[in-house]
Amino acid sequence: MNRCQPKLALFLTLLTVPQLFLAGCSGAPSADILQKAKAAAAAGQWEHAEILAEKAADQKDMEVDATILLALSQHYQDKTVAALDTIEKAVELDPGSFAAQYFHGWLLCQEKRWADALLPLKRALKLDTSNANVLVLLAKCSLHQNLIQGTSYLQALRRFDEYRDSAELYNTIALLWLGRPDYDMAKSYFLKALEKDPHNTVVLQNLAVLHDTYLNDETAALKYYKSCLRESQLAKDEVRAKAVVERLRQLARRRSAASGGRDS
């Protein structure tokens, strides 16, 4: 490994397990079936949930909500094609349903179809402009496709307490600018991330790589590599520490060779 590669933001892997955006029981028979389907889903009994959701979906008053739950039940049984077909049906039934648009995007993300997921997620965001889960998914889609528009979704997440002081959020914004490439913007956001968490090994490593690989500033690179190594050792992150040690050795050999060349 010749370089310690920039690391993806951790928070993007911490996507919220989807909530069931479904109506409560209204006393109607179809609502009672759907409520039982929701209970089965909450218990992880996806096969039973699928059977009940399919029955509830036959009733017009619960058709959209039940179809969404049916798609999720199929997904959790690895019935990928059926789940996507079902969620698309839910969108057709009610294009104005936030839940239908959101879960359409969510299921596409589960299949790593990042480009396809953008449209339903953007529609979901229009229906609920303050939904953190949608913003996280949109940011993840943008990061996987190196789309600078992802910075706007990440900036919007700062409105939420759990992300306001997140080093991972600023680290991810920096990665998007790095892919632009705009090294000055990347550096500024990596430094903001470091302000939020001075001991963050991911951010320290990314700053080291930025100065090493992109800015050709060995002095700064060494400073951040050494800080990353120290924090990695304290965190007992042996994999990261080993990668950093290897790069420090490579840089030392390069300096030694350059010094020998000047002396001869």
Side-chain angles (χ1 to χ4, degrees), residues 46-171:
W46 294 109
E47 185 175 357
H48 188 45
E50 180 183 9
I51 293 169
L52 292 170
E54 196 162 15
K55 288 181 180 178
D58 290 334
Q59 308 299 317
K60 290 295 182 184
D61 56 337
M62 292 289 163
E63 190 174 13
V64 177
D65 290 345
T67 301
I68 295 168
L69 182 53
L70 177 59
L72 290 173
S73 301
Q74 292 166 335
H75 165 75
Y76 283 110
Q77 295 177 82
D78 296 321
K79 299 177 181 180
T80 302
V81 175
L84 287 171
D85 286 344
T86 301
I87 199 63
E88 286 171 8
K89 180 182 177 183
V91 172
E92 290 172 3
L93 287 167
D94 185 1
S97 165
F98 169 81
Q101 297 288 0
Y102 172 79
F103 283 115
H104 188 198
W106 185 85
L107 286 170
L108 288 167
C109 285
Q110 299 306 298
E111 298 304 312
K112 296 181 170 47
R113 290 172 55 179
W114 311 114
D116 294 334
L118 277 173
L119 182 57
L121 289 172
K122 286 179 179 179
R123 289 171 175 165
L125 188 63
K126 284 185 178 180
L127 293 164
D128 184 352
T129 57
S130 62
N131 190 286
N133 288 338
V134 179
L135 290 167
V136 169
L137 283 176
L138 282 165
K140 187 168 187 177
C141 289
S142 300
L143 184 62
H144 278 283
Q145 298 175 86
N146 198 27
L147 301 175
I148 198 62
Q149 69 194 59
T151 58
S152 64
Y153 304 128
L154 291 162
Q155 295 283 13
L157 278 167
R158 294 189 304 169
R159 301 197 305 265
F160 301 91
D161 291 342
E162 61 266 41
Y163 296 111
R164 186 172 295 117
D165 295 317
S166 168
E168 287 82 3
L169 183 146
Y170 289 100
N171 181 71

Side-chain angles (χ1 to χ4, degrees), residues 25-44:
C25 182
S26 66
S30 55
D32 184 55
I33 295 172
L34 182 56
Q35 199 68 17
K36 290 178 180 177
K38 287 172 61 179

